[in-house]
Amino acid sequence: MTPRAAAAAFRVRTALLLLWAAASFGVAFFARDLDQTLGDWPLNFWLAAQGGVLVFIGIVAFYAWYMNRRAPGDAAAPDSGDTGERPDGGRG
C-alpha cells in the first residue's frame, strides 16, 4: 500500500470511528428524551441500542467494501502447489 493510500485509509478509518462513537454514545445520551413506551416498558434505550448495532454493521460493511475496492491487487495470491493437506495424510 502506498503512503497516499495508507493516509486515505487512515482518514476513512478515523471518520468511521467518530461515526461509531457518535452513534453509540450520542444516541444513548439522548435516548431518555424519546419517552416511548409499550405497555409499561420503556422503549427509548432499547431503540437506541438496536440502532447502534445497525449503525455498527453498516460501518463494518462499508469499510470492507471500501478496502476491497481501494486495493484489489493487495490480496495475496494462493500458491498453486499448496493443497492445504499435511504430508502425512492428515493423521497425527
Side-chain angles (χ1 to χ4, degrees):
M1 186 179 279
T2 65
R4 186 174 178 184
F10 179 76
R11 284 192 301 271
V12 168
R13 193 176 314 123
T14 302
L16 291 175
L17 283 172
L18 290 173
L19 175 64
W20 170 75
S24 296
F25 302 114
V27 174
F29 182 74
F30 293 109
R32 69 188 110 177
D33 295 334
L34 294 175
D35 280 336
Q36 293 180 345
T37 58
L38 179 64
D40 291 334
W41 295 92
L43 292 178
N44 47 3
F45 287 103
W46 184 83
L47 290 172
Q50 297 305 313
V53 170
L54 292 176
V55 169
F56 180 72
I57 290 171
I59 287 171
V60 170
F62 174 78
Y63 186 70
W65 171 81
Y66 176 78
M67 291 306 288
N68 283 334
R69 187 169 184 251
R70 189 79 177 142
D74 286 348
D79 186 15
S80 61
D82 185 20
T83 61
E85 296 179 10
R86 293 183 3 194
D88 62 354
R91 298 184 189 133

